[in-house]
């Protein structure tokens, strides 16, 4: 009899646990519904915005925030840092309507970015922690050849037309050719930057782009280098370089004849992805 009662008690406890889990899931769904209502209706105005998708990984980030972690440290728990992230803490809200009203009143600036895709939530007492992100959607290592060719095409299209880089006028320049050797040097530097989480032209040993190119066996009269981080696509990285006078000047320099380019995805770094673009004029 005792064993039967014990089994019955275990079954009842299991049922209660299941009910609690269902209630918790329903509460999270209601919370996310309220966030999406504020984002799409109140913050975006006519036309609205697409719904944010809740992910377990971001729920974990929000849970870490609720227990005192900084957003930077909490995001480090993800397999890959997002391209953009922000967090909101609401205190004393009770129910879907309260959440939507509080977000609409104070946090539309955080919620109305059209590129936002994902959300995570966590409760701690009377406080609601919300994390919204733009997931990083950069190239994979297998995209190396395609991305290099795309960047070369975009760079040569830019060189085909005269332009100003800051205050300096540059006439159109001849197209560059892609150098596999320069791309290998660029790949090594991108990986080194990713490992250090440091965007820089100078290596810790003091070497500069011309030193790295020379050590690789490339004999050059002139070497230039552009670097970037956190930019997920070839189109965006070239556009960013062209918008910066110094980087643009390298792209438009008529003396350069060859280019190498590479990227390195660093999942847990702040930069997420590190780009290196090398230019050279081969010594004859």
């Amino acid at each position: 009899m005792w064993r039967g009662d014990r089994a019955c008690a275990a079954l009842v406890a299991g049922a209660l646990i299941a009910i609690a889990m269902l209630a918790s899931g329903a509460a999270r769904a209601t919370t996310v519904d309220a966030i999406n209502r504020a984002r799409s209706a109140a913050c975006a105005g006519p036309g609205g915005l697409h719904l944010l998708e809740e992910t377990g990984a971001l729920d974990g980030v929000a849970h870490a925030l609720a227990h005192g972690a900084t957003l930077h440290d909490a995001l480090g728990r993800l397999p890959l840092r997002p391209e953009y992230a922000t967090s909101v803490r609401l205190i004393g809200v009770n129910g879907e309507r309260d959440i939507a009203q509080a977000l609409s009143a104070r946090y539309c600036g955080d919620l109305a970015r059209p590129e936002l895709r994902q959300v995570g939530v966590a409760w701690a007492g009377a406080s609601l922690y919300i994390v919204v992100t733009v997931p990083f959607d950069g190239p994979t290592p297998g995209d190396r050849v395609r991305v290099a060719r795309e960047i070369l095409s975009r760079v040569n299209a830019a060189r085909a037309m005269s332009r100003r880089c800051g205050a300096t006028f540059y006439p159109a320049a001849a197209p560059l050719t892609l150098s596999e050797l320069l791309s290998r040097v660029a790949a090594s530097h991108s990986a080194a930057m990713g490992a250090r989480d440091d965007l820089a032209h100078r290596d810790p040993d003091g070497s500069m782009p011309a030193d790295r190119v020379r050590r690789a066996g490339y004999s050059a009269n002139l070497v230039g280098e552009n670097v970037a981080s956190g930019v997920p696509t070839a189109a965006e990285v070239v556009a960013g370089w062209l918008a910066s006078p110094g980087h643009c000047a390298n792209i438009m320099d008529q003396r350069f004849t060859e280019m190498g380019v590479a990227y390195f995805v660093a999942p847990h770094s702040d930069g997420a992805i590190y780009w290196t673009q090398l230019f050279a004029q081969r010594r004859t």
Side-chain angles (χ1 to χ4, degrees):
M1 185 69 176
W2 176 82
R3 292 180 64 182
D5 286 345
R6 185 178 182 186
C8 182
L11 289 172
V12 170
L16 290 175
I17 290 169
I19 292 169
M21 291 175 64
L22 288 172
S24 175
R28 285 199 304 272
T30 298
T31 300
V32 173
D33 287 344
I35 294 167
N36 277 319
R37 179 194 298 175
R39 169 178 158 81
S40 184
C43 294
L49 293 167
H50 61 80
L51 300 180
L52 299 177
E53 176 192 2
E54 183 183 11
T55 72
L58 285 182
D59 286 344
V61 171
H63 180 78
L65 293 181
H67 287 78
T70 66
L71 180 60
H72 179 274
D73 289 344
L75 291 172
R77 302 163 183 248
L78 297 176
L80 183 66
R81 283 186 180 272
E83 183 179 338
Y84 170 84
T86 191
S87 63
V88 170
R89 179 188 179 192
L90 300 180
I91 302 174
V93 289
N94 184 22
E96 188 174 346
R97 179 175 296 181
D98 272 5
I99 294 168
Q101 288 178 346
L103 291 173
S104 302
R106 296 184 57 191
Y107 296 104
C108 276
D110 297 290
L111 292 177
R113 294 174 69 116
E115 65 270 30
L116 291 173
R117 291 290 182 272
Q118 296 179 337
V119 61
V121 297
W123 286 91
S127 294
L128 169 63
Y129 292 81
I130 302 168
V131 180
V132 289
T133 68
V134 180
F136 182 79
D137 190 24
T140 67
D143 294 326
R144 181 184 67 85
V145 173
R146 177 189 63 78
V147 170
R149 288 174 178 169
E150 180 181 348
I151 289 179
L152 178 68
S153 175
R154 290 179 180 276
V155 164
N156 282 336
R159 285 169 66 91
M161 299 180 290
S162 62
R163 70 180 59 240
R164 287 193 176 276
C165 298
T168 305
F169 175 80
Y170 287 85
L176 301 171
T177 58
L178 193 62
S179 164
E180 182 60 31
L181 177 56
L182 290 178
S183 291
R184 289 200 298 270
V185 178
S188 179
H189 186 58
S190 290
M193 289 192 295
R196 300 192 309 268
D197 199 8
D198 178 33
L199 187 68
H201 294 290
R202 185 183 299 275
D203 283 338
D205 65 2
S207 61
M208 295 295 287
D211 301 316
R212 295 190 286 271
V213 168
R214 184 182 65 254
R215 285 199 300 260
Y218 187 108
S219 180
N221 289 322
L222 184 69
V223 173
E225 182 180 76
N226 289 341
V227 294
S229 66
V231 186
T233 68
E236 290 174 280
V237 77
V238 173
W241 282 330
L242 287 172
S244 167
H247 299 86
C248 176
N250 275 340
I251 289 175
M252 295 302 298
D253 195 321
Q254 296 190 55
R255 296 172 295 175
F256 292 133
T257 57
E258 292 186 294
M259 183 196 86
V261 67
Y263 56 88
F264 179 79
V265 177
H268 298 291
S269 74
D270 290 340
I273 184 170
Y274 286 83
W275 300 84
T276 303
Q277 181 182 39
L278 280 170
F279 304 89
Q281 180 193 75
R282 188 181 292 272
R283 182 176 292 131
T284 56

